[in-house]
Amino acid sequence: MFNLRSIDVDIQKETAWVQAGATMGELYYRIWEKSKVHGFPAGVCRTVGVGGHLSGAGYGNMLRKCGLSVDNVLDARMVDVQGRILDRKAMGEDFFGVILAYQIKLVPVPEKVTIFRVEKTRDQNATDLVYKWQFVAPSTDHGLFMRLLLQPVTSKTQKRRKTLRASVVTLFLGNSDQLLAITDKELPEMGLKKENCTELSWIESVLWWDGSDEGTIPALETLLSRDYPTNFLKRKSDYVQTPISMANLDQLWEKMIELGKVGLVFNPYGGRMSEIPASATPFRHWAGNLFKIQYSINWSEDDPELEKNYLAQIRCLYNYTTPFVSKNPRSAYLNYRDLDIGTSTSGKSIYEEGQDYGVKYFNDNFERLVKVKTAVDPNNFFRNEQSIPPLPK
């Protein structure tokens, strides 16, 4: 029987075949079984499926060193519209279909890496930190990934008033002394100390990132679990090409505090991301962008009124940030699938509808994707509400 979750790691060749039904956690676990000095540059959420993650240009905390997950794909097995199973040689370079499995290239990782989490609120100069972060995080050592989390919270020191908390969550592909030599020089506003840093194996860092809110490292077998808290969520995305000013950051904090719940995640680019040609894959958003914004809101109650309120909050913040982000088009990240930016039907205007979201997701590569779609699936058999449309007949 065909196993949709099987993973075959070949350390001698530094590759692995991964079925689309496997999770990222299962992949990381199977790599660790075979080698303590190999990894794969993909997402930090263990229960995300390999098939969707890679096909949507999934990213992780090694993207500045190794690029996106899709930049490390060597081959694939795919079902085309005629039901044939094809590999890269048989399908060629431009194709559409349903992915069954990927062959990926493993990447080297040090025996020890360093992680830390540092938090600052507005009264602790969080705005200074965030402003400087915009210049440093996309240009620093390629092995240093500093994710920035921004969240309205209740102050512990200012009589329970609302404030803004900035959290820097990091993976560094080196030891803590090497890391401090970089941060002391480039980002002293963070105030990082050696006691804030933890050196551990790469696989332990995967576990720490998966549960970094709790600051603990769960058992390794957690990577094999598909259990995940059930809740509701909405994500949106943007790209920043020029640093946001101190004054505009302060105004942004006020807007986030006013709304009350929406958080932002800044993910820096640069490094390897700046070296990959925009036409190498469909996903060209690293070209000219300093960092990606994720708009994030979660809730657990099955309440239509609450849902309406939270969706209004995230859309309001998205509208508010319009002056600070990419334009013409206002780009979006495919794996944060956002139906707000457009959907398509199966009607006569499918191409025009597809342009609404397609140009945002793929920029200049959208038209190339349309031509490929038209050549291999002209009747639009493989489709969803935001799929690539064929050209009109």
Side-chain angles (χ1 to χ4, degrees), residues 154-162:
T154 300
S155 173
K156 297 179 180 178
T157 60
Q158 298 182 329
K159 297 182 179 179
R160 309 292 293 175
R161 290 180 59 189
K162 285 287 186 178

Side-chain angles (χ1 to χ4, degrees), residues 98-114:
V98 173
I99 294 290
L100 298 178
Y102 285 104
Q103 185 188 40
I104 60 171
K105 177 180 66 178
L106 306 184
V107 301
V109 296
E111 290 187 4
K112 293 292 182 182
V113 301
T114 305

Side-chain angles (χ1 to χ4, degrees), residues 63-65 138-142 269-276:
L63 87 168
R64 302 190 65 257
K65 183 70 172 180
S139 62
T140 189
D141 185 284
H142 293 192
Y269 281 0
R272 174 64 180 143
M273 296 290 284
S274 299
E275 301 168 358
I276 301 168

Side-chain angles (χ1 to χ4, degrees), residues 185-196:
K185 178 182 178 181
E186 298 183 2
L187 198 56
E189 293 82 357
M190 194 160 51
L192 185 66
K193 306 296 182 185
K194 188 154 187 172
E195 54 264 32
N196 303 131

